[in-house]
Structures are given as C-alpha cells and as structure tokens.
Amino acid sequence: MPKRPITPEDLYRIVTLEDPKLSPDGQWIAFTRAQPNAFHNNYVRNIWVVPVAGGDPIQITRGDKDSSPSWSPDGIMLAFQSGRGTDGKAQIYVIPVTAPGGDARQITRMLNGATQPSWSSDSKTLAFLSAASADERAREDQNRDEKRDPPKDKLDIKHRAERREEDDKGRLDPYPAWRIPYRAGTTFSGERYAQIYTVDTSEADPLPRRRTHREANHEPPLWSPDGQFIYTARQVDPSTDEPNRTSALFKIRAVDGQTVMLTDASMTSFTPIPSPDGKWVAFTHYPRDGAFPVTERLTHLAVIDAEGSTPVRDLSTTLDVSAHFLAWTPDNEIVFSSSWHGDGPIFAVTPDGTTRTVIDGRFRATFLNADAGGVVYVASTPECPPELFYLPHGGSMRQLTHFNQPFLDDVIIQPTHTRWYESDAGVKIQGWYLLPVGYQAGQKMPLALNIHGGPHVMWATGEASMFHEWQLHAARGYVVFCCNPRGSDGYGEAFMQGVHEDWGDTAMRDIMTGVDLMIADGIVDPDRMAITGGSYGGYMVAWILGHSDRFKAAIAQRGVYNLLSFYGTTDVPSLISGEFGAEPWEDSQKLWRHSPLAYAHLIKTPLLIEHAEQDYRVPIEQAEQLFAYVHRTGGIVKLLRYPREGHEKSRSGEPAHRVDRLHHMVDWFDIYCRSKPSI
C-alpha cells in the first residue's frame, strides 16, 4: 500500500519515551511510554520494560498516568509515581517485576501528592518529593504521633479532596504576591515548597517522615551508595527574586535531616548525582558573575568530593559544550549528553578530566542511564521520533524499541539536508532544509521558514519537538528551512554570546542569508514565503516583519514583543536585564529600540498571532499588544487565544489544541503562499 503525506492528526500516533533506567543486574530497562489520546484529549503514560539483549517490550503498569520508574537495588520492585487516584494527584506506588501481573501497591497518600521516588541501598526506604506549606508542615509534626484517620472509602477520598480544594480557594482569595515570580508554568506559586520525605516500604501502613524543613523547593532526591545520605539541590535564599538562580547542592543525613551545603554562591548548581564509590558528586552549573544574572553561558559539568572539602572541578569547559543528562558508570566515568552542531553526541569524562566520545551521529539524546554493560538513551533522529537505544561497552549501538514503526510505515518522511553557510563577518551558520513531498528538480516552491526560541537553545537535525511539524509543512508543499543563528547553543560559548544586547538584527542577518541561498539555488519562490517561530522565535518573526516586507504570510507564536512590559509580567525578568545589560528604569529607550513592538506599525504581512492564556513565561499581554498595533495601523492580523494552556502548549499542551494549532498554521500559509493572490 503506498505511503501518504503526514497530516495534523498524525500527532495522535506518535509515541515518545522518557526516563530509561537500567535494572541492577543490567538485564532490563524500565521506561515511560507516552502517547496522546484523542478520545480523552490527554496523554497515556505507563511503565514498560524491555530486555537489554533485545526482545519485545513488556507493559508493567496500566494506570495510564504512570511515570518516573525507579528500580529497587535488589531488582525485585519498581517504584513509580502515578496520578491514577480519584483526586488526580500523583502518589508513589511500587510493583513487583519478578512476578508479572502483580498489583501496584500505593505507598503514599500525601496531602498535595508525591513525586520522584528514589530507593535507598537496602531496598527498604524510598525518598520522594511532596509540597507543603508552613502550616501544613506544622500540622504534620503535630499529628505525627496521634491516631491516624485513613479515608473510609473512595467517596470519602473524593469528599476530602473537594474540601481541601475549597479551603485553598478561600485561603488564596485574594492571592497575596510577595515575590517574583509568584506564578510559573500555568499556575500561581502559592506557599507550598517541595520537601524531601522518606518512607519505609516494609511497613504495612507506611508513615512518611519529612527530612527537610526549609521554605524552598528541593530537586529530586538521590541516595548515597551507603544509604546514609540524600543529595539534592535547592534555592539558597528563596526570599530573593527568581530564587532558582541561586540554587546550590546539599547533602542531607537521612537519619536526622542534618544538612551540609556543598557548593557556594559563586555558581548556580543543580542535578547532583553521587558516584558509585561514594567519593564524588557530579552536577551541572552555570556561573553567577557580573552585575546581572548569567544567561549566555554554557551549562558546565563539574564534580566535587562528597564531603564538599575540595574546590569544584570543572570537567566540560575544554569541550566548549553544554552538559545535559548525566549518569555515572560503575568504573567512575560520567556519561552526559550535549548539544553540538545540530546533533546530541554523548561524552564520557572521569573525575580527573579525561574525556572521550561515547557516540556521535545525527541524533539527539534526551534521557540516558548507564551501568557496567553500557549506555541506554532515548534519541530522536531526522527520520524517526524518539525510541530507546543501547550501546554496550565495546559493542555496536542497537535500537531496542520500535513503537513508531507502524506510523512510519504509513507516511512519507522527507529527508533532512544539512547546509552550512557563511553569514556576515565570516561567521559560519548551520542550517538544514526539507523539500516538499513530490518535489521535482527545477521547481520553485513556497517556503516555510521556522525560527527557534531561546535565544540560547539549539535545534537539532533530529529535533523531536519539531519532527511532526516540519514533516507536515513538507507534506503541504513547502520547502522547510531552519537554522541555528548566533545566540544558539551548540557552537561554543562565544557564538552563544553573539546576540548580547542585539536580539534582532544579528540573528536576522544570519537567518535571511540562509533564505537568500535557498532562493539562489532555485528551490524557493521568493514571492511565496511564509515565516513562523515561537517564544524568541516569535520575537524574531515580529522583528523581521517590522524590518522587511519579503514574506507573504507569518505566524508569531507565544512571542516576546515588548521588552519593557515583558520584564514586568514574566517569571524571568532578569533574562532582560542580563541580556541587555540594563534594568528598564536605567535605559528604557534601549529596551524599546530592541522591541519588535516599536516597529509593529510597519507590519503589512498577513499575520496570525497565537498565544496561550495561562502562559506565565511570556504572558498573553505580549500578543494582545502586537495584535492591537498591527490591527490599528491597517494590517491583516488575527489573534488565536488558547485557554488552559501555558508556554509549552505546542509540545505538551492538550492534544486537541496541538492539532488545531497545526491546522491553523498550514491553512494560514496556504491562503497567502499556495497561490499569488492580490492583497
């Protein structure tokens, strides 16, 4: 049967994988399988395992809201978090893996849910996170030794949840804001902070014990190999604005909660992972130097001794790459994924700084784990959405899952072509393009120019978040062109700093040079070009439209358009002061000159603006201003407002909204670029 072009509804067929974990004996890998569900307009997540040696994956849980698998060190149990309860809040469960078909046992019944389980070395105790306010923690301490009052039945659980929800509404009505940010993601922050708890799973009715007492959010806990300590990262001073920028590493004694700070205020540190021999802690960090928070620096990989008695040792600076996902091997190497030249190679480094490349190629690793046998990772490629791969030490890489193969067997996948070119001042820029489905040599086709956000991120040739979207544009008859202009990660720190105090013009030159080369090649029709981008990419769409009339259609997604008002409404105001070297009251004219809104009255390209109503990273007031400026000056403009969604709508929002967005996108392109209408 012949293959067909991709459609927006194919989103429901794409499977993604998360958080692979090797079993203690190295024979199995547990992971989360996720897929959009059209009927319920949500995502189905369950825990699966697959043999390292190869074979069919086996589904372990069926709660449909299960994630974050964690093997017990004896290999008998898997802990995981699940929102399968009637109140929808995640709780910790354990399930036997040595007896397939066994029932999951609920371990926690935390008032505000529980997440991120981590086993102690004796396979008896779990550490986890749960949020609690100061008064909730006081009630915990007061009631700890009193008679417990378990729910009588499911109806009682439901009624208690409704009562708590109603009490919360009253407690935060009106909502008191006393810090910045006071809202993030799609919710207001409130007075609850993620604390670390432990629970003895051998007890019949386990009672969790809180091990932290600070009004600060803690990162997921990890145990020391001897089971004596728990490592985490948290805000040093949560009373400051944007406290996550002052995060440090902490070592907590499990028996009594005594805490030692391992890193200081000279850096922002996170993701501590103890070495198998207990001597080292690997972590990532970025510097905190200068008058403003650092936003244009690589994420460094470093180690510190487990006692915190020696200076931090940076391990990735000589590579000039950012370090992402980390894992230790039993022989004391750290493997980590990175961003480099549009790909995601995996490196290994020892605590003394000896580095080697583990695997390179046209892929991007989004999760990884390692043991004595090899490295397991989730990777996407230009031809395939995320799947699970395993690289044994000294062996050849093998793909362990093929969940997306039935989908790939049905649809046409256009190859991705990489193209390096030279922008102004001899700067090398990496771009890539996809030709339309059915393209014939010599044809000049409409263009769909895509621009990434950030600005300090890197799009990869195997970009999982864009695979479906780029292939859809090609299926609808467009040449797809993307690039990583100056400011992007993946090309060294100096390149990353290339748009300091100049978000618009420098990146515009890099992007438009690539567009001109596509036109010069005779592939693109210069009279039928469309442009789109999200977040900083939305900024660039509006900036380019205010400085050029070359495009016939444009879609600006969740973009920053007014730097002055963005500063006062976002959850990351220091992004602006750091990127432009000034606070708004110190140089408001500078920020206005670099705002696309200052030139929005010049926009005459038909513009579709889409934004999420609960986007607290880039609030919807940005879209409202751009819409008003273009509309009031006679431009063709339409605003799409998506309820219940935040900044991640296009990647993890309601599936129906994601599909609807794609329909609007290609339909808008088609109106102005599939033919040559008189406007």
Side-chain angles (χ1 to χ4, degrees):
M1 189 172 180
K3 292 189 175 185
R4 59 170 177 80
I6 279 179
T7 68
E9 283 72 21
D10 283 322
L11 175 77
Y12 294 111
R13 300 191 63 190
I14 296 176
V15 173
T16 57
L17 308 181
E18 304 163 354
D19 211 11
K21 297 291 177 58
L22 281 152
S23 63
D25 63 6
Q27 301 302 304
W28 296 87
I29 302 165
F31 59 93
T32 303
R33 181 191 188 276
Q35 187 172 6
N37 182 281
F39 185 81
H40 294 289
N41 192 28
N42 62 6
Y43 297 86
V44 173
R45 279 183 165 84
N46 285 299
I47 309 300
W48 291 60
V49 297
V50 65
V52 167
D56 293 334
I58 302 169
Q59 185 172 347
I60 296 295
T61 72
R62 300 183 183 276
D64 292 348
K65 297 178 181 179
D66 308 334
S67 59
S68 300
S70 178
W71 291 93
S72 60
D74 59 15
I76 295 175
M77 308 291 288
L78 270 172
F80 61 97
Q81 67 184 56
S82 177
R84 62 179 68 185
T86 55
D87 62 359
K89 293 179 180 178
Q91 299 290 350
I92 306 301
Y93 293 74
V94 297
I95 190 169
V97 287
T98 53
D103 292 331
R105 174 190 171 209
Q106 185 171 346
I107 296 297
T108 67
R109 299 185 187 277
M110 302 300 291
L111 180 69
N112 300 310
T115 62
Q116 302 294 332
S118 174
W119 288 96
S120 62
S121 55
D122 62 3
S123 298
K124 293 181 179 179
T125 306
L126 281 168
F128 62 90
L129 294 179
S130 184
S133 64
D135 58 335
E136 288 168 344
R137 297 198 304 273
R139 285 198 297 272
E140 278 180 4
D141 296 338
Q142 178 181 353
N143 298 334
R144 175 160 183 82
D145 297 322
E146 295 180 8
K147 184 178 180 180
R148 301 178 67 183
D149 181 24
K152 299 178 180 64
D153 49 34
K154 290 184 177 180
L155 187 60
D156 189 21
I157 294 174
K158 179 175 181 291
H159 288 164
R160 292 186 186 193
E162 291 172 346
R163 179 73 264 171
R164 287 197 300 270
E165 183 179 357
E166 195 63 28
D167 289 345
D168 272 351
K169 288 179 181 178
R171 186 169 59 89
L172 299 178
D173 182 7
Y175 179 86
W178 65 94
R179 63 186 173 202
I180 293 176
Y182 55 86
R183 57 183 186 177
T186 59
T187 60
F188 283 71
S189 301
E191 303 168 290
R192 293 181 176 128
Y193 296 90
Q195 305 290 337
I196 295 175
Y197 292 76
T198 62
V199 61
D200 186 343
T201 62
S202 65
E203 296 178 358
D205 187 15
L207 182 62
R209 301 171 184 270
R210 192 174 68 255
R211 300 305 184 185
T212 58
H213 310 275
R214 178 87 169 176
E215 291 213 337
N217 286 313
H218 295 76
E219 282 194 1
L222 281 179
W223 291 83
S224 62
D226 61 8
Q228 301 301 306
F229 298 95
I230 298 170
Y231 292 95
T232 186
R234 67 160 169 81
Q235 305 137 343
V236 176
D237 185 0
S239 67
T240 62
D241 284 351
E242 298 181 71
N244 287 341
R245 295 192 184 279
T246 63
S247 178
L249 308 187
F250 292 85
K251 178 182 179 180
I252 302 166
R253 193 159 64 186
V255 67
D256 59 8
Q258 180 180 330
T259 301
V260 175
M261 185 174 176
L262 297 179
T263 57
D264 59 28
S266 65
M267 63 187 72
T268 297
S269 308
F270 38 94
T271 61
I273 305 177
S275 62
D277 62 8
K279 295 180 179 179
W280 300 95
V281 179
F283 64 100
T284 50
H285 75 92
Y286 56 81
R288 293 176 55 212
D289 50 13
F292 299 102
V294 175
T295 56
E296 302 161 326
R297 302 289 293 272
L298 299 173
T299 301
H300 294 243
L301 169 64
V303 292
I304 190 170
D305 74 278
E307 303 302 320
S309 58
T310 60
V312 169
R313 184 181 299 168
D314 257 311
L315 301 179
S316 62
T317 50
T318 56
L319 292 173
D320 205 18
V321 301
S322 288
H324 302 309
F325 298 91
L326 316 179
W328 284 92
T329 66
D331 54 357
N332 260 23
E333 271 193 323
I334 308 159
V335 291
F336 65 96
S337 62
S338 63
S339 299
W340 184 248
H341 289 191
D343 292 316
I346 296 173
F347 296 100
V349 61
T350 59
D352 66 3
T354 303
T355 305
R356 65 183 177 89
T357 302
V358 176
I359 185 170
D360 201 354
R362 298 188 79 195
F363 72 94
R364 185 164 205 175
T366 50
F367 296 91
L368 63 80
N369 195 227
D371 67 0
V375 178
V376 58
Y377 57 97
V378 174
S380 55
T381 70
E383 295 79 29
C384 183
E387 296 286 359
L388 194 63
F389 295 82
Y390 182 72
L391 180 68
H393 295 314
S396 299
M397 179 188 71
R398 52 180 180 256
Q399 183 174 338
L400 297 182
T401 63
H402 298 82
F403 288 115
N404 288 293
Q405 197 57 51
F407 159 66
L408 296 175
D409 288 341
D410 288 345
V411 298
I412 300 170
I413 301 298
Q414 291 297 94
T416 301
H417 306 275
T418 301
R419 178 167 191 173
W420 286 86
Y421 57 91
E422 193 171 287
S423 186
D424 63 325
V427 176
K428 297 288 186 181
I429 303 296
Q430 185 183 23
W432 52 95
Y433 64 93
L434 286 71
L435 294 173
V437 171
Y439 177 78
Q440 299 294 318
Q443 288 181 308
K444 291 185 177 182
M445 304 298 290
L447 172 72
L449 170 64
N450 285 249
I451 305 174
H452 73 58
H456 309 301
V457 301
M458 182 197 79
W459 262 351
T461 51
E463 189 65 44
S465 65
M466 297 302 295
F467 171 84
H468 179 226
E469 191 165 324
W470 289 341
Q471 292 291 339
L472 175 64
H473 292 175
R476 288 289 283 256
Y478 292 86
V479 175
V480 180
F481 179 72
C482 326
C483 69
N484 283 322
R486 271 172 283 186
S488 303
D489 194 3
Y491 306 87
E493 196 162 79
F495 189 91
M496 197 174 185
Q497 295 168 348
V499 293
H500 182 70
E501 298 191 31
D502 182 20
W503 273 12
D505 282 342
T506 297
M508 178 177 172
R509 293 194 301 273
D510 293 348
I511 293 165
M512 295 309 295
T513 297
V515 170
D516 288 337
L517 288 173
M518 299 295 292
I519 294 171
D521 285 347
I523 299 172
V524 168
D525 183 347
D527 294 324
R528 294 188 292 161
M529 299 197 304
I531 180 174
T532 187
S535 197
Y536 169 73
Y539 172 103
M540 285 306 305
V541 168
W543 183 270
I544 290 172
L545 296 185
H547 293 78
S548 171
D549 61 359
R550 296 180 61 184
F551 292 91
K552 302 305 178 186
I555 303 175
Q557 310 170 50
R558 62 188 184 280
V560 178
Y561 311 119
N562 183 347
L563 299 180
L564 289 163
S565 64
F566 174 76
Y567 179 97
T569 56
T570 182
D571 63 337
V572 286
S574 65
L575 173 67
I576 300 306
S577 51
E579 295 280 326
F580 291 92
E583 301 287 5
W585 50 89
E586 295 171 339
D587 197 344
S588 60
Q589 287 303 309
K590 177 182 183 179
L591 295 184
W592 180 246
R593 287 195 308 273
H594 288 280
S595 296
L597 199 65
Y599 314 95
H601 61 286
L602 302 174
I603 295 176
K604 294 299 178 275
T605 302
L607 174 62
L608 177 64
I609 306 168
E610 65 105 329
H611 219 103
E613 293 191 340
Q614 287 180 256
D615 187 340
Y616 297 149
R617 172 56 50 87
V618 182
I620 197 170
E621 55 88 16
Q622 294 286 302
E624 292 168 336
Q625 291 183 73
L626 182 62
F627 172 77
Y629 273 52
V630 177
H631 176 74
R632 293 285 290 169
T633 53
I636 299 172
V637 62
K638 179 180 179 180
L639 172 61
L640 290 178
R641 305 171 63 106
Y642 285 90
R644 303 180 302 281
E645 298 287 8
H647 200 61
E648 296 298 307
K649 172 179 65 67
S650 68
R651 294 178 280 258
S652 58
E654 294 178 16
H657 279 162
R658 295 175 64 190
V659 171
D660 179 79
R661 165 185 169 272
L662 293 172
H663 274 294
H664 278 289
M665 178 179 289
V666 290
D667 289 348
W668 188 263
F669 287 172
D670 285 352
I671 291 171
Y672 300 102
C673 294
R674 294 293 290 171
S675 59
K676 298 179 181 179
S678 57
I679 300 174

